[in-house]
Amino acid sequence: MKNKLARTSKRDAHTLAGAYAMDAISAPDRDRFERHLAGCEECAREVASLREATAMLGTAAAEPLPAGLKERVLAAAAVTRQQPPVDEAVTRPHPRRVTSRVGPWLRSLAWPGRLALAAGAAAVAAVLAVAVVFGVTNGSMQQQLDQAQASSQQIAAVLTAHDAVMTAGPVTGGGTATIVMSHSRRALVFTAQGLHALPASRGYELWLIGPAGTRPVGLLPAGRHGMTGPVIASGLRPGDHLALTAEPADGSAHPDAPMMLDVAL
Amino acid sequence: MTATGSQEPRDPARRGPGAGTGPRPGPNAGPDLAAQIVLVARGDSAAFDAVFEQIGPSVFGLVKRVIRDPAQSEEVTQEVLLEVWRNASKFDADRGSATAWVMMLAHRRAVDRVRSVQAESERERRTAVADIPYDEVIEAVESSLERERVRRCLNSLTEVQRESVTLAYYRGYTYGQVASLLGVPTGTVKTRMRDALIRLRDCLGVAQ
C-alpha cells in the first residue's frame, strides 16, 4: 500500500478531485485519494466546492415522491436511534480533515507480528467481501446469507460503508481470516477460510477483548467449502482486540483456549 | 448526442447564465436546510419532516436517475433519508452546504447499489453501458429556472466534458468505465472530469 502511495505523484492524486466528487472512482482509488485529502487542505476545499456543483446536478433531477414514501421514512425514523455527535471532550479531530470518517483507532488497524497486512490479501478480501454479500462465488455462501437474513442487512451495511477497511491474515493452526471494519458503524464483519477442522465437540468462537471488557461475539457457523462466517461484531470500542479461540461446541462465556488470532482493532 | 457546446467556450460571456452573478446557495435549499438538519440532530422530528419535504424529491430523482428501477430507487431513497436522520450530527456546515451533504449521501448510496448489482452480473453490466444518457438528462432537467440554469451550464461544457460528467454522475460509472465507453485514456477522463466540474461550479455560481 505504502509503495503504491509513494508512486502516486501529488499532481496525479489531485486530478482525481473531479472523479472523486462524482463518486466515479473505485474503492481502492477512493481510499488512496482520501489519504491524500487528509493532508491537503487545498484539495479538500476544491472537492467541497465541486460537490456543490454536483449537488446541483442532483437537485436538477428532482422528481415527485412516490405516495407513502415520506410516511414510511418518518415512521422508520421514529424507531431509529440517532448517532451521537462527536464527543468534544474526548476527540480532537483535525479541524479541516475531510476523512474524519476514518477514526484514529481504525487507522491503527494492524496485524501484529507475522499477521502483517498484505496488500494483495486486501484485494482478495475485497472480492471475498462482495462475494459474502452478493453470493457470487458459491451457493453455500448464498445459503448462509439466506439463513441469516436479519444479520445480512447489517453485514451489507458494514461492507458498503464508505469507511470500510479490509484486512486479512493467517490464523494460528491454519487458515486465513478476513476482517472488514467500519468505524462509523462501530462494527466489523469476520470471515475465515481454510480453518483447521475441529472435532464435533469443539467450535471456533470469536471475541472482542478490550478496556470495555471481554465480550463473546459468537460461534463461527460451520461453513462449507472451507469458508466460515460471515459473522458480524458490532459495538466496537476503542482499544478492542478481536480474538479467535476453539471452545466447547456450545460456546463459552470467557475464552479458555489459546488465542488462534489476536488482532488489535 | 447533440453537437452543442462542442467548442471550448473561453469567452467569459459564453460561460453561462450563472457567470458573474456571484456565489449563491444551492437550489431550493438556502441556509434553511442546514438549520433544519441541526435541529434534526437534536431529534426534532418536525424538522426532519421539513427536511424531507425540501430535499426528498431531489434525493429520489437523483437516485432514480442512477438506479432506474423505481422500487429499488424508493428503497435507496429511504436509506438515504434515514441516514440523514441518524447522522445529522455529523453534518458540518463548515465543509459545505446541507444540500451538498445530502446529495453526496444520496449519490454514494445510489452508486453503491448499482455497483453491487454490477458485481453480481458482469454480463449485465456490459450490456447496460451501451447507451448515452445526455438527451434524456436534458429532457429531465428542462422545467424550472434552476434546471434551465443547470442545462445551460452543462451546455457550456465541451462534449467530452459533458459526457464524462453525465455518465459518471447520472449513471454511476467510474472514470475507468467512462474512459472505456468514450474510448479515451483514463488520465484524460480524470482531467476532463475535474475541468468540467470546475467550469460547472463557476457557471452555476455555487463556489463556497
Side-chain angles (χ1 to χ4, degrees):
Chain A
M1 280 306 200
K2 278 245 162 66
N3 290 341
K4 200 172 175 189
L5 253 183
R7 271 188 271 119
T8 309
S9 75
K10 193 172 172 178
R11 200 193 123 61
D12 220 38
H14 209 91
T15 58
L16 273 173
Y20 178 77
M22 291 193 288
D23 308 305
I25 193 164
S26 64
D29 269 347
R30 178 157 74 189
D31 293 347
R32 203 151 48 90
F33 188 71
E34 285 185 349
R35 283 194 293 272
H36 171 72
L37 271 184
C40 175
E41 237 184 81
E42 187 197 334
C43 313
R45 268 198 303 274
E46 176 173 302
V47 166
S49 74
L50 299 184
R51 288 263 188 216
E52 300 293 330
T54 58
M56 281 201 68
L57 292 178
T59 55
E63 276 191 33
L65 290 168
L69 178 59
K70 183 175 128 177
E71 288 67 28
R72 282 199 298 283
V73 172
L74 293 182
V79 294
T80 302
R81 184 178 154 74
Q82 291 179 293
Q83 294 287 313
V86 172
D87 188 337
E88 295 289 346
V90 175
T91 37
R92 291 265 174 277
H94 187 282
R96 261 307 196 177
R97 208 179 66 206
V98 164
T99 50
S100 66
R101 292 192 308 277
V102 183
W105 63 275
L106 178 65
R107 203 167 295 187
S108 70
L109 175 68
W111 294 79
R114 67 203 153 78
L115 295 181
L117 165 69
V124 172
V127 174
L128 176 61
V130 170
V132 166
V133 179
F134 303 105
V136 291
T137 49
N138 62 56
S140 83
M141 189 60 81
Q142 187 55 52
Q143 275 177 6
Q144 286 176 31
L145 280 180
D146 289 346
Q147 285 162 10
Q149 196 60 44
S151 70
S152 78
Q153 277 202 337
Q154 277 180 291
I155 288 170
V158 172
L159 300 188
T160 58
H162 301 302
D163 61 350
V165 169
M166 278 170 281
T167 187
V171 175
T172 308
T176 307
T178 301
I179 296 172
V180 181
M181 180 158 69
S182 160
H183 170 68
S184 65
R185 295 187 178 271
R186 298 203 172 269
L188 61 80
V189 173
F190 177 94
T191 59
Q193 196 159 22
L195 292 184
H196 177 69
L198 295 175
S201 61
R202 313 278 286 171
Y204 285 105
E205 192 164 7
L206 208 54
W207 308 88
L208 286 173
I209 302 171
T214 297
R215 291 98 74 200
V217 172
L219 286 159
L220 295 187
R224 280 195 279 166
H225 305 288
M227 184 86 89
T228 47
V231 169
I232 186 156
S234 46
L236 302 186
R237 304 280 190 76
D240 272 347
H241 285 235
L242 184 74
L244 184 70
T245 60
E247 302 287 338
D250 53 352
S252 304
H254 294 281
D256 291 318
M259 305 283 176
M260 311 176 79
L261 179 74
D262 184 4
V263 188
L265 302 178
Chain B
M1 185 53 55
T2 64
T4 36
S6 58
Q7 290 182 342
E8 294 279 341
R10 299 203 181 281
D11 179 357
R14 286 200 58 207
R15 277 172 69 212
T21 54
R24 31 177 138 179
N28 57 47
D32 208 28
L33 187 63
Q36 298 287 3
I37 286 178
V38 170
L39 291 176
V40 169
R42 296 173 196 163
D44 186 331
S45 51
F48 185 56
D49 194 324
V51 166
F52 200 106
E53 286 290 329
Q54 211 172 318
I55 201 79
S58 294
V59 169
F60 177 67
L62 173 61
V63 165
K64 191 160 159 240
R65 191 139 297 281
V66 174
I67 295 179
R68 301 299 193 89
D69 177 67
Q72 284 197 56
S73 305
E74 233 182 282
E75 245 175 70
V76 171
T77 301
Q78 191 162 339
E79 287 171 17
V80 171
L81 269 304
L82 271 180
E83 192 175 354
V84 170
W85 165 258
R86 274 191 292 108
N87 291 332
S89 65
K90 306 276 194 305
F91 168 64
D92 180 353
D94 290 343
R95 288 201 204 134
S97 72
T99 306
W101 183 64
V102 177
M103 296 315 281
M104 176 184 80
L105 298 178
H107 194 257
R108 281 192 170 171
R109 275 194 184 259
V111 162
D112 282 351
R113 178 65 70 107
V114 291
R115 295 207 184 133
S116 309
V117 172
Q118 282 165 9
E120 205 169 49
S121 171
E122 183 70 13
R123 200 163 50 83
E124 252 180 35
R125 187 188 68 79
R126 283 204 206 98
T127 54
V129 295
D131 48 343
I132 299 281
Y134 178 62
D135 290 336
E136 161 204 330
V137 167
I138 288 306
E139 189 188 331
V141 299
E142 257 172 347
S143 70
S144 70
L145 279 177
E146 286 300 348
R147 289 173 181 214
E148 178 66 10
R149 200 148 66 93
V150 169
R151 194 184 68 81
R152 290 220 188 134
C153 288
L154 274 173
N155 268 332
S156 79
L157 303 178
T158 68
E159 192 164 328
V160 177
Q161 284 178 340
R162 189 172 53 242
E163 281 175 331
S164 300
V165 165
T166 53
L167 286 169
Y169 195 72
Y170 289 124
R171 283 300 170 89
Y173 296 150
T174 63
Y175 70 84
Q177 291 171 325
V178 173
S180 78
L181 265 182
L182 299 183
V184 291
T186 54
T188 308
V189 169
K190 277 194 273 188
T191 314
R192 295 288 157 82
M193 283 180 173
R194 177 163 173 254
D195 292 349
L197 287 188
I198 288 172
R199 183 172 288 182
L200 267 182
R201 174 194 72 192
D202 295 345
C203 173
L204 292 165
V206 288
Q208 291 226 92

